[in-house]
Amino acid sequence: MRKPGNAADRPAPSFLTQEQREALDAALSKKRAEQPAPPPVPAAAVGDDEVAKPQLGKNPHSEGVKTKRDLAHDHHLNRKGKGTGRTKKAGAGGKYTWGAQMLADGDEGAAVDPNDPNYDSGDDSSRAVSFHEERTTQIAMFKKAVAMLLEEYYNSGDINEAAVSLQELDHPEFGHYAVKRALAAAFDKHAWEREMTSVLLSTLYNEVIAPEQVRKGFTAAIEGLDDFKLDVPDVVDQLATFICRAVVDDVLPPSFVKRIDGPAGSLAAELRHKCELHLSAKHSAERLARCWGSGAGFKFDETKDSIRSMLQEYAASGDKEEVRRILRDLAVPFFHHEFVKQALLLGMDAPSQEPFLGLLGLLSETAEALPVLLWVLPGGASQFCSASGAPFATYFPQGFQRVADNLPDISLDNPAARERFDAAIKAARAGGWVEEGFTGAPTTPSTPGTPGAELNGTASTPFHPNAFKASALDIVREYFDSGDASEVAQRLAELDEPGFHNIFVKHAVQLAMDRKDRERELVSAALPDLVPRVISDDQVALGFTRLLAGIDDLALDIPDAARLLELFLGRAIVDEVLPPRFLAEAVPHLEPDSLGLAVVQQTGTLLSAKHAAERFDACWHGGVATIEALREQMATLLDEYLASGDLKEAERCLQNLSVPHFHHDFVTRSLLTAMERDGEAGKILGLLKQLADSGEVNQTQMAKGFARVEARLDDTALDQPRAPELFKQWKAEAQEQGWLAP
């Protein structure tokens, strides 16, 4: 197998042979012949005295779709996409002419003069909407869109969709409104939704929402504390937690807390005091990282852990009201069967299960364990629960049934489990938690439609595609952070599901499309290492076929998806991950008018061009940079800044490197350069302060850079005797100015 970068192994003129190109053309022609002809326009649709005309400014041969060529030749359209397309001065006049207004008869179309004695402001319909009114309308629409976006995010948990939707609004100057609206929405939600909000802000920071907009949004929330207090009594505590969590997540600088100002006794002063207490506490970073209960209700395992901890605390305290409160805060009524199951299991192991049965009885009476919406009947039918409760199922029967299904295994560790479970069923029947006919018998494969029936079959349960998809996404994201392709191969082998590897290929490419060239190069470079050693040829072909078939939907979220897929597909063929015949073989699986067919055709054209292999080898512009290359680029950046003094240009260049995890090396290099060039120290420290204040270099990376310089001060002092003294002075100044954490 050819490895990327060996362009000398291939002929330069063209990658596809003449026979391969002809086979692709024949497959494309055959597929297009399957497309049905458009229905003819009935003659009655056009009047006798009318002539059917295409829409203004559109190519009549493109069925109303304006192409780039049409735009290029449409001289009535502004090149920046502005204007209606109509001619200037209503089609009359030009240079050195009177124009249509002067030649018009009467006063029709004449401009209204506010200085005219007969001027009536009510008749002036030609006035444009003021900039302020237009801006107000845009802000209102943006806020409404953000509110809908947040509600959808809380329901789906899809953080990528939320980021894409916010970016598509195309108003980066309104980012602070999105931050404030997210905080306001979370104040009225539960703990797990607040955790989702903190994760969302951390994800959007410096990718979708600029750092200054994030700070502005938090400032606006602080200014609105008095209004929030009317609806949310504990808003000060919540906002303090949000601010401190943002500091820990490097979304806000530590100096932000010091800028919270307000008179003594005000809500702002109380907020600042609470923030300082949170951040100065022991192990504050670890505590704040789990300030919302580790996202309980958001992640399956953490929700189970929260339920277990809640019941263990109840066993020690016996406080039923505290259990009810925590259960409500979890806001997972669909998962209450897990609570019933764990309560029964703990009751079996406890000296007495009466406290747990009493707790379940209380929750049943107060309707804390909400009923399910549908009762699944044998054969797969379903019916809504009636008001009288028949047919009626709650999460109690589900919890009891889950214990019954696992009772043989539980009895191995606890011989008294069967006796205690029978006693629990008797209490449940007496209390009306379960139906009278509930026996607690374990389900078997012969009882279809019963939840958990598949657990007792003799055959092993197959690995579900959704579970593999979740694992594949985790593998890809970790690979983007580490760049270790061998780790990817090892984890895929551990999953031991070669039949699902096409899912990994598909989602690896999809995730890379929504990232930068570095991640795209990582995926393209990993595929030759994985195919066919880990991923079979059939699976990688199936993965790319699924990408081609779904490119129409993918293009709705990633506008440039078609072009990116062309590059991924061409690179895979050049790297011998896919054979050239794949293009022709994929055509029959695509729709005649689909975007995937256009991707295949364009990829074939690119591969047929001269030097195609070399072009595809460099299609991601060398996205993966070596450590040495990065350090060289950072040194060049610093030298150019010292020559020009342009802070914004230096910040932009550092951002374009797209290596936020390596910014500590830039800080280290900058400090060492400042020690070598004593006269340039002020300029270099000014650059570091600007990078910290703008959020381009987060507090973790800044502190790590200072720590590395401090660790090597003894060696540096051999060449620069004043190095320890200068470093101590600079560190104190940075901490005093707030751009370095103390």
Side-chain angles (χ1 to χ4, degrees):
M1 167 136 324
R2 191 197 76 82
K3 300 300 179 185
N6 298 336
D9 297 342
R10 300 178 305 272
S14 172
F15 193 82
L16 291 184
T17 64
Q18 183 65 24
E19 292 79 6
Q20 291 167 346
R21 181 66 197 180
E22 290 174 355
L24 176 59
D25 291 340
L28 291 170
S29 300
K30 182 179 179 181
K31 175 58 67 173
R32 289 198 176 92
E34 299 175 4
Q35 184 176 5
V41 179
V46 182
D48 296 336
D49 299 331
E50 296 179 0
V51 178
K53 296 181 180 180
Q55 296 182 11
L56 179 63
K58 294 194 175 183
N59 187 342
H61 302 291
S62 64
E63 299 181 357
V65 179
K66 182 173 287 188
T67 65
K68 291 184 178 180
R69 174 171 295 193
D70 299 331
L71 290 172
H73 291 83
D74 190 346
H75 303 295
H76 291 168
L77 290 181
N78 189 294
R79 290 298 178 264
K80 296 183 179 180
K82 300 179 181 179
T84 62
R86 294 174 297 187
T87 55
K88 295 181 180 180
K89 300 185 180 180
K95 198 172 183 180
Y96 309 121
T97 63
W98 289 103
Q101 297 294 337
M102 296 296 295
L103 297 176
D105 294 332
D107 295 333
E108 182 181 356
V112 179
D113 185 4
N115 298 320
D116 191 340
N118 296 322
Y119 169 70
D120 183 3
S121 60
D123 295 336
D124 187 2
S125 59
S126 64
R127 290 179 303 162
V129 178
S130 68
F131 174 79
H132 177 72
E133 293 173 344
E134 181 180 358
R135 202 65 165 174
T136 302
T137 303
Q138 289 179 346
I139 293 173
M141 293 177 63
F142 181 84
K143 289 181 177 179
K144 184 177 180 181
V146 169
M148 295 174 61
L149 179 157
L150 289 170
E151 196 63 34
E152 183 178 349
Y153 169 60
Y154 290 144
N155 291 331
S156 67
D158 191 341
I159 198 166
N160 291 327
E161 178 65 23
V164 170
S165 299
L166 184 59
Q167 201 164 23
E168 287 176 349
L169 295 179
D170 197 23
H171 278 292
E173 72 278 12
F174 294 162
H176 59 284
Y177 290 115
V179 174
K180 182 182 178 183
R181 181 56 61 96
L183 293 172
F187 290 154
D188 282 333
K189 300 289 184 179
H190 298 89
W192 67 280
E193 287 150 325
R194 295 169 195 153
E195 171 68 18
M196 292 177 72
T197 302
S198 292
V199 173
L200 178 66
L201 293 176
S202 178
T203 303
L204 299 179
Y205 175 76
N206 210 23
E207 292 290 338
V208 180
I209 304 179
E212 60 271 14
Q213 290 291 321
V214 174
R215 294 193 294 272
K216 190 175 179 181
F218 272 93
T219 302
I222 295 171
E223 293 171 351
L225 270 177
D226 293 320
D227 294 333
F228 287 133
K229 182 77 172 178
L230 300 176
D231 300 321
V232 186
D234 63 340
V235 66
V236 176
D237 293 326
Q238 289 193 40
L239 185 55
T241 307
F242 270 116
I243 291 174
C244 295
R245 172 65 179 270
V247 171
V248 170
D249 290 342
D250 291 326
V251 173
L252 291 175
S255 59
F256 181 85
V257 176
K258 298 180 180 179
R259 299 171 189 167
I260 301 175
D261 193 18
S266 65
L267 294 180
E270 181 183 355
L271 175 69
R272 175 172 176 171
H273 178 66
K274 288 181 179 293
C275 290
E276 290 173 344
L277 287 178
H278 282 313
L279 293 173
S280 60
K282 190 175 182 180
H283 305 298
S284 60
E286 292 78 4
R287 292 174 181 269
L288 290 168
R290 307 175 71 86
C291 60
W292 305 122
S294 306
F298 185 38
K299 296 180 181 178
F300 176 77
D301 293 337
E302 292 176 348
T303 304
K304 291 179 65 175
D305 291 341
S306 296
I307 292 175
R308 186 179 301 109
S309 299
M310 176 199 321
L311 289 170
Q312 289 172 348
E313 291 179 7
Y314 167 72
S317 66
D319 190 346
K320 296 178 182 178
E321 292 301 322
E322 180 68 10
V323 174
R324 293 179 60 193
R325 184 190 66 79
I326 298 175
L327 194 59
R328 282 196 302 269
D329 287 343
L330 277 181
V332 285
F334 52 86
F335 205 54
H336 282 175
H337 57 83
E338 176 69 22
F339 179 90
V340 175
K341 174 192 170 184
Q342 292 202 29
L344 291 173
L345 293 178
L346 286 175
M348 291 177 184
D349 293 333
S352 172
Q353 66 176 351
E354 291 304 321
F356 293 95
L357 295 179
L359 174 62
L360 292 177
L362 175 65
L363 295 179
S364 176
E365 293 172 1
T366 58
E368 294 291 342
L370 300 177
V372 294
L373 297 178
L374 291 173
W375 173 252
V376 181
L377 300 175
S382 60
Q383 185 173 348
F384 282 101
C385 302
S386 64
S388 62
F392 182 81
T394 69
Y395 287 112
F396 282 96
Q398 292 186 32
F400 272 82
Q401 189 61 61
R402 291 182 63 193
V403 175
D405 290 340
N406 293 279
L407 198 56
D409 294 334
I410 298 172
S411 299
L412 297 177
D413 299 324
N414 185 359
R418 167 59 68 179
E419 180 183 350
R420 291 204 169 188
F421 184 61
D422 291 340
I425 291 178
K426 185 177 180 180
R429 288 176 186 158
W433 315 341
V434 298
E435 293 180 340
E436 285 295 332
F438 183 82
T439 62
T443 54
T444 65
S446 61
T447 56
T450 308
E454 71 282 356
L455 297 178
N456 295 298
T458 55
S460 60
T461 303
F463 203 77
H464 197 277
N466 288 340
F468 184 88
K469 174 184 173 182
S471 300
L473 291 174
D474 289 340
I475 292 172
V476 175
R477 293 189 182 104
E478 290 181 12
Y479 173 54
F480 286 164
D481 292 335
S482 66
D484 188 353
S486 61
E487 179 69 17
V488 176
Q490 180 181 347
R491 292 195 59 186
L492 283 176
E494 290 173 354
L495 290 178
D496 194 22
E497 289 293 339
F500 290 154
H501 284 172
N502 63 87
I503 298 176
F504 171 81
V505 174
K506 175 187 174 184
H507 288 285
V509 174
Q510 280 187 359
L511 279 178
M513 283 182 180
D514 208 20
R515 300 295 185 97
K516 297 184 178 180
D517 282 349
R518 174 185 175 273
E519 287 79 9
R520 296 164 190 162
E521 175 66 24
L522 281 171
V523 171
S524 291
L527 289 177
D529 289 335
L530 298 174
V531 180
R533 183 168 59 93
V534 178
I535 303 176
S536 66
D537 295 333
D538 292 341
Q539 286 294 308
V540 73
L542 180 57
F544 273 96
T545 302
R546 293 181 63 186
L547 282 167
L548 289 169
I551 190 63
D552 295 271
D553 294 333
L554 191 58
L556 299 177
D557 299 325
I558 307 174
D560 210 18
R563 184 189 67 84
L564 294 173
L565 185 54
E566 292 166 7
L567 297 178
F568 272 113
L569 184 55
R571 173 69 176 269
I573 293 175
V574 166
D575 288 343
E576 299 179 9
V577 173
L578 291 170
R581 68 174 184 276
F582 170 81
L583 295 176
E585 293 174 349
V587 170
H589 302 283
L590 306 175
E591 295 296 328
D593 57 346
S594 66
L595 187 58
L597 206 64
V599 170
V600 171
Q601 182 179 8
Q602 182 62 20
T603 304
T605 302
L606 294 173
L607 287 170
S608 301
K610 290 184 177 181
H611 307 291
E614 290 81 356
R615 292 175 183 270
F616 277 109
D617 270 335
C619 64
W620 306 125
H621 313 291
V624 182
T626 63
I627 299 298
E628 292 74 15
L630 278 175
R631 285 175 172 162
E632 183 178 348
Q633 290 176 350
M634 288 181 175
T636 303
L637 184 160
L638 191 58
D639 291 339
E640 291 180 357
Y641 164 70
L642 293 176
S644 66
D646 191 339
L647 285 170
K648 291 296 182 183
E649 179 65 16
E651 182 179 348
R652 185 189 65 80
C653 291
L654 187 62
Q655 187 176 20
N656 288 343
L657 289 179
S658 300
V659 285
H661 57 281
F662 204 62
H663 283 171
H664 62 273
D665 194 88
F666 179 79
V667 175
T668 301
R669 180 174 297 275
S670 299
L671 292 173
L672 293 176
T673 304
M675 293 174 182
E676 296 172 0
R677 308 182 189 181
D678 199 6
E680 306 279 5
K683 186 182 288 188
I684 293 175
L685 293 177
L687 172 62
L688 294 179
K689 183 178 184 302
Q690 170 66 20
L691 294 175
D693 289 342
S694 67
E696 182 59 38
V697 177
N698 60 46
Q699 289 295 314
T700 301
Q701 294 292 314
M702 186 67 70
K704 192 174 181 180
F706 269 82
R708 289 200 170 189
V709 173
E710 189 171 13
R712 55 197 292 186
L713 271 179
D714 293 337
D715 295 337
T716 307
L718 298 177
D719 299 322
Q720 305 291 334
R722 295 189 59 216
E725 176 188 351
L726 292 173
F727 177 80
K728 184 177 180 180
Q729 174 187 343
W730 296 341
K731 184 177 180 180
E733 291 177 358
Q735 291 176 344
E736 182 180 352
Q737 295 172 6
W739 53 275
L740 178 65

